[in-house]
Amino acid sequence: MIKKIFLLSLFTLTLYANTLNDKIENLMGKYEYLKHKNLINYIFKNESDYFIGKSIDYIKVIKKLQENGLLKLKLNKPENIYIRFNTNSAPIKSLKILKDTLKSLGFYYYFTQTLKYDTQNLNWEIKLKTAAAIDPLILANELYKQNCRVANINREGEDRWEYSIDTTFSKLNNSILMTSNEKKYLTKPLKPYLIKLDENISKLIIISKVLNNWFPKVVFYDKDLNILDIVKQNKLHKKLNLEVPVNTKYIKIDDLYTLINIKRGLTIITKE
């Protein structure tokens, strides 16, 4: 029995090792991998430490590679890099998270090559010109902050990367949480306000500050960022009373023309 358990454990570790080594070779490139094979075997000798269940813990693996100078991301000169993102849940919400994440990493200018999605999955490929590939560790950590986990990374040469991301439990970190019967004073917006609603909120009161010239644009979304309703008013408002549609989880509050019209901020009141 003991022998059987030992053989099973040995098989499991061998499976981990093969999978992990294959992935490390893919991330580094075959030449660099073979060049540093002995060092890699030493660094990753406890293979099971780099798995979460049966999945590779990419944050741990990439961090260890970078700590030992084994992951080269810099290019000889600025080149076009192609990055494909695959997600498995709430495609509209996932796309927003990815775009917000790219902005947080300083990538504002890129071109969409393909964009495909259905009720669950998103496939988005972008092209950007850069002197170094996006740091996968920083990207993975930023996504983790929004409850998204990098499930797989595939590197094809120096110019193509593919990320498969589990967004099942994703959340929007840049939203403002409001509970029922709460009042909040919002300061000058740099972008439209995004409000996340707690349970049991049926009414919303929005009050524009003195000297604002607010022409309301309010969008109601469900938990996956599917649009439930849009309110647009082509006349100046100082106060707006709204019924909150059933299943609303997020609300975007904007001005129909320019955010300058609400530069002094808004007051938001929620009601059960």
Side-chain angles (χ1 to χ4, degrees):
M1 181 67 178
I2 294 174
K3 185 177 180 182
K4 186 177 179 181
I5 293 172
F6 173 76
L7 289 173
L8 180 61
S9 300
L10 184 62
F11 171 78
T12 304
L13 286 175
T14 304
L15 178 63
Y16 279 173
N18 289 338
T19 306
L20 186 61
N21 284 337
D22 289 345
K23 185 48 62 179
I24 291 170
E25 181 180 340
N26 173 254
L27 291 170
M28 291 178 60
K30 189 169 185 176
Y31 174 78
E32 290 295 322
Y33 175 79
L34 293 174
K35 181 180 175 182
H36 300 286
K37 187 71 167 62
N38 291 335
L39 177 58
I40 292 163
N41 287 338
Y42 175 75
I43 293 170
F44 295 97
K45 59 185 176 182
N46 298 319
E47 295 92 352
S48 58
D49 291 347
Y50 297 91
F51 282 79
I52 301 172
K54 294 182 180 180
S55 301
I56 291 174
D57 186 340
Y58 279 94
I59 289 179
K60 264 190 180 179
V61 170
I62 295 168
K63 184 177 181 182
K64 188 61 71 172
L65 287 173
Q66 289 186 345
E67 285 174 350
N68 289 276
L70 295 173
L71 188 61
K72 295 185 178 179
L73 301 174
K74 290 184 179 180
L75 305 171
N76 294 326
K77 60 179 181 178
E79 302 275 0
N80 286 326
I81 296 285
Y82 297 85
I83 308 165
R84 179 181 291 275
F85 298 102
N86 306 308
T87 68
N88 64 339
S89 178
I92 298 172
K93 184 179 177 184
S94 297
L95 183 60
K96 176 173 174 51
I97 288 172
L98 289 170
K99 288 183 175 181
D100 288 348
T101 300
L102 288 172
K103 285 181 182 177
S104 72
L105 299 180
F107 295 98
Y108 295 89
Y109 305 106
Y110 49 80
F111 298 95
T112 294
Q113 299 297 104
T114 59
L115 176 60
K116 299 178 183 177
Y117 62 92
D118 54 27
T119 55
Q120 289 293 116
N121 304 294
L122 168 74
N123 305 110
W124 183 42
E125 184 177 2
I126 63 171
K127 177 180 76 173
L128 57 89
K129 194 159 191 175
T130 177
I134 292 176
D135 188 320
L137 179 60
I138 297 176
L139 178 63
N141 277 320
E142 285 299 308
L143 289 169
Y144 185 76
K145 291 176 185 177
Q146 303 193 75
N147 270 19
C148 300
R149 187 179 66 84
V150 173
N152 189 41
I153 303 176
N154 188 43
R155 185 177 187 179
E156 299 177 16
E158 293 189 338
D159 65 340
R160 290 186 182 273
W161 293 73
E162 182 174 20
Y163 290 86
S164 295
I165 303 162
D166 184 358
T167 57
T168 306
F169 304 104
S170 63
K171 61 182 181 180
L172 299 176
N173 279 347
N174 59 349
S175 58
I176 302 164
L177 178 63
M178 292 197 70
T179 57
S180 58
N181 301 313
E182 184 180 8
K183 185 176 186 178
K184 275 194 176 175
Y185 301 94
L186 305 182
T187 57
K188 177 182 177 180
L190 299 176
K191 57 185 177 181
Y193 302 109
L194 184 64
I195 310 295
K196 182 179 181 181
L197 296 185
D198 203 353
E199 305 295 328
N200 304 317
I201 295 174
S202 63
K203 293 183 180 180
L204 192 72
I205 302 168
I206 307 172
I207 302 170
S208 182
K209 296 290 181 67
V210 176
L211 300 180
N212 276 345
N213 295 291
W214 183 42
F215 295 86
K217 180 182 178 184
V218 182
V219 186
F220 297 89
Y221 303 93
D222 68 9
K223 63 181 179 62
D224 295 329
L225 278 196
N226 296 305
I227 295 175
L228 299 174
D229 192 17
I230 300 177
V231 175
K232 296 180 181 179
Q233 298 289 339
N234 194 19
K235 62 179 181 178
L236 191 147
H237 276 64
K238 293 300 179 184
K239 184 178 181 181
L240 188 64
N241 291 277
L242 296 169
E243 298 289 330
V244 176
V246 175
N247 296 324
T248 296
K249 192 63 179 177
Y250 297 97
I251 301 173
K252 182 171 72 174
I253 304 173
D254 198 355
D255 185 87
L256 195 57
Y257 302 107
T258 172
L259 288 175
I260 294 173
N261 286 337
I262 50 174
K263 65 182 180 180
R264 292 170 180 81
L266 299 171
T267 299
I268 313 295
I269 303 171
T270 57
K271 299 286 185 181
E272 284 189 10

